[in-house]
Amino acid sequence: MKVGRGSIEGNIREEANCLRSRIAENNGRPFDFAHDVTVAVANVICSMAFGRRYGYGDETFRELSEALATVVLEIGTGRIIYAFPLLQVIPFVNRPAMNAREEYSKVVSVIRDEISRHREHLDRENPRDFLDFCLLELEQQEKVEGLTEENVLYMAADLFIAGTETTANTLLWSLLYMTLNPDIQNKVHEELDAVVGKSPPALSHRSQLPCVNTCLMETMRIRTLLQL
């Protein structure tokens, strides 16, 4: 996250516009947008890692997002095994860990397919994204000695698992608190109107948005985002 060349700010602003358009399609009718928020967050990671994004109704991504959510949930539920390893021999206690491994394999499968697709269309003179740069490094071994395709695979998986649910949950809790506290929502709205106007917010606006920053920080202070 930075201003200028090499920043993912442009991807974030583009995806925010897509999410806004998705919400506008409902013409003010109530609907559950939790999945759409998760897709928006994951698409930022996808654009950085894979150079592509998923549609909000894409069935492949729906399965992927459900797998991500299950992995995070089950890892948190089964953490007692890390403290007491002998419990893993008890089927009932070990069930969360087994579920997490099963769902994690789905995430790995999607990323493995992406690596194959990237290798097939790799432009060595113009790498486009994280996987392209990693594949070039695998060929040349110039900067990272001993880097393997498995390393790349699990680094990409970590980007998804560590980045998607955490960020999406932060946004969803923030939106819930805004709904429950309309007076604070109005203050945030007025601040955004005064500083940002009708254009999409940018990272350069951050120092001028103390109310927005405070609300986000307060959300992260009072809510545990993951069961870890």
Side-chain angles (χ1 to χ4, degrees), residues 46-63:
C46 283
S47 64
M48 178 175 62
F50 301 159
R52 58 168 290 185
R53 62 181 300 277
Y54 290 93
Y56 285 86
D58 189 282
E59 190 59 34
T60 298
F61 182 78
R62 180 173 291 278
E63 294 176 2

Side-chain angles (χ1 to χ4, degrees), residues 194-205:
V195 175
V196 179
K198 295 183 178 180
S199 62
L203 190 59
S204 57
H205 293 127

Side-chain angles (χ1 to χ4, degrees), residues 55-97:
Y56 285 86
D58 189 282
E59 190 59 34
T60 298
F61 182 78
R62 180 173 291 278
E63 294 176 2
L64 178 61
S65 64
E66 290 174 356
L68 288 169
T70 301
V71 168
V72 172
L73 175 64
E74 299 290 24
I75 286 176
T77 304
R79 282 183 70 83
I80 189 173
I81 292 177
Y82 299 124
F84 304 100
L86 288 176
L87 291 177
Q88 63 184 315
V89 302
I90 303 175
F92 177 76
V93 177
N94 196 34
R95 175 55 56 184

Side-chain angles (χ1 to χ4, degrees), residues 85-130:
L86 288 176
L87 291 177
Q88 63 184 315
V89 302
I90 303 175
F92 177 76
V93 177
N94 196 34
R95 175 55 56 184
M98 295 174 64
N99 290 341
R101 283 194 291 268
E102 183 178 338
E103 296 302 312
Y104 184 74
S105 67
K106 297 178 183 179
V107 179
V108 168
S109 177
V110 170
I111 297 173
R112 202 180 297 278
D113 289 343
E114 282 291 339
I115 291 175
S116 297
R117 185 175 66 86
H118 274 66
R119 179 175 283 110
E120 183 178 349
H121 301 286
L122 180 62
D123 183 347
R124 290 168 177 76
E125 300 300 320
N126 298 289
R128 302 155 295 177
D129 48 46
F130 174 78

Side-chain angles (χ1 to χ4, degrees), residues 21-34:
S21 298
R22 173 75 170 178
I23 293 172
E25 291 175 2
N26 290 273
N27 296 316
R29 296 187 302 272
F31 75 105
D32 184 357
F33 55 73

